[in-house]
């Protein structure tokens, strides 16, 4: 392989930063992204975020704690600037997707979200045969085409673990839905902003392909 070819490959690599909120197992997300020939790191450093070509916001736990962590780490405003002004692609995973909402209502507390995807995060309705939290494998049904779904099978199974879900204010931001007693949104998208309620890093081939597609999206 020539030196020119090597330099071209290196220059085409993406700098993917997985944002560490301190409330999720970011190592599993890192291992999944390491399946691809990209530069990937875990960080809560503003300098690293500013140098990223792609951002990933994973998380588990409460909406309130997620927003609090972003503020305490001085990442809240930086993140909004990178996503809204510089149009850096971002992928929210589980709680990370929910933090894109306008408000969260976890534990009967109204908390301001990032307002990247207008909507509210509410608790899954308790019904017969519906256990809360929703943990396990479930189908994801596509409602529209999107670049994050290229060569991804519709109605495939993905791994979920959550008690709350996002209600979007605008239907055009909904990419996929899942039924668990009721239909809830499992993938959202708006310009450079993407979110998945499930854990793609734990969802075998179908989940890994979604991460691969995201890593190929250009700002």
């Amino acid at each position: 392989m020539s030196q020119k070819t090597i330099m071209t490959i290196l220059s085409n690599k993406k700098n993917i930063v997985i944002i560490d909120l301190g409330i999720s197992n970011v190592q599993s997300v890192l291992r999944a992204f390491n399946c691809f020939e990209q530069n990937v790191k875990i960080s809560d450093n503003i300098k690293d975020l500013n140098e990223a070509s792609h951002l990933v916001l994973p998380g588990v736990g409460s909406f309130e704690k997620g927003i609090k962590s972003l503020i305490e780490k001085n990442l809240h405003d930086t993140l909004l600037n990178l996503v809204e002004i510089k149009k850096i692609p971002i992928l929210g995973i589980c709680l990370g997707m929910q933090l894109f909402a306008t408000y969260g209502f976890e534990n009967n507390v109204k908390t301001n979200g990032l307002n990247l995807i207008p909507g509210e995060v509410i608790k899954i309705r308790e019904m017969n045969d519906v256990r809360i939290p929703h943990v396990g494998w479930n189908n994801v049904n596509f409602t529209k085409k999107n670049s994050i779904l290229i060569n991804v099978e519709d109605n495939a199974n993905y791994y979920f673990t959550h008690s709350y879900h996002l209600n979007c204010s605008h239907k055009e931001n909904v990419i996929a839905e899942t039924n668990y007693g009721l239909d809830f949104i499992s993938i959202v998208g708006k310009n450079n902003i993407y979110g998945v309620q499930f854990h793609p890093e734990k969802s075998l081939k179908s989940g890994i392909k979604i991460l691969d597609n995201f890593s190929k999206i250009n700002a």
Side-chain angles (χ1 to χ4, degrees):
M1 186 179 295
S2 68
Q3 182 69 25
K4 182 178 180 180
T5 301
I6 293 173
M7 292 303 294
T8 299
I9 292 173
L10 291 175
S11 65
N12 288 335
K13 281 190 174 184
K14 307 296 173 56
N15 291 316
I16 301 171
V17 174
I18 301 167
I19 301 170
D20 186 7
L21 296 181
I23 54 173
S24 64
N25 181 13
V26 289
Q27 291 295 333
S28 61
V29 180
L30 176 66
R31 286 193 293 271
F33 272 104
N34 276 334
C35 293
F36 323 121
E37 293 185 356
Q38 309 290 358
N39 297 315
V40 189
K41 68 169 63 174
I42 297 167
S43 181
D44 60 2
N45 184 287
I46 291 176
K47 181 177 182 292
D48 289 334
L49 268 66
N50 282 324
E51 294 176 351
S53 66
H54 292 66
L55 297 168
V56 181
L57 183 64
V60 295
S62 75
F63 191 100
E64 184 181 12
K65 286 184 178 179
I67 291 296
K68 182 179 179 182
S69 179
L70 281 172
I71 293 172
E72 289 180 343
K73 291 174 178 285
N74 296 316
L75 300 178
H76 185 282
D77 293 346
T78 296
L79 187 60
L80 290 178
N81 178 66
L82 290 170
V83 174
E84 293 188 305
I85 307 301
K86 296 187 177 181
K87 303 299 181 182
I88 301 299
I90 186 169
L91 174 67
I93 297 175
C94 195
L95 175 63
M97 174 183 117
Q98 294 179 4
L99 297 179
F100 291 166
T102 310
Y103 302 108
F105 291 90
E106 199 155 349
N107 302 318
N108 296 316
V109 176
K110 183 179 181 180
T111 304
N112 290 331
L114 294 168
N115 198 30
L116 294 171
I117 302 284
E120 299 178 340
V121 175
I122 60 175
K123 193 168 186 178
I124 297 172
R125 187 189 309 161
E126 295 189 29
M127 304 167 61
N128 293 335
D129 300 323
V130 173
R131 294 184 178 182
I132 309 298
H134 172 208
V135 178
W137 297 84
N138 211 328
N139 300 89
V140 171
N141 306 300
F142 305 159
T143 60
K144 63 189 296 186
K145 293 182 179 180
N146 189 277
S147 56
I148 204 171
L149 301 178
I150 293 172
N151 294 325
V152 178
E153 181 184 355
D154 189 10
N155 205 38
N157 278 324
Y158 295 81
Y159 186 78
F160 291 82
T161 174
H162 63 119
S163 299
Y164 289 75
H165 68 96
L166 171 62
N167 269 347
C168 284
S169 299
H170 306 299
K171 188 175 181 180
E172 62 265 27
N173 294 333
V174 179
I175 294 176
E177 294 181 340
T178 294
N179 185 273
Y180 187 66
L182 52 75
D183 290 332
F184 67 85
I185 297 166
S186 46
I187 306 179
V188 294
K190 177 187 174 186
N191 301 323
N192 55 309
I193 303 162
Y194 302 86
V196 294
Q197 182 58 69
F198 50 86
H199 287 270
E201 76 279 9
K202 298 180 180 180
S203 298
L204 306 177
K205 182 179 178 180
S206 295
I208 296 298
K209 183 56 182 172
I210 285 178
L211 298 182
D212 184 28
N213 287 339
F214 171 72
S215 72
K216 294 175 180 176
I217 292 170
N218 294 316

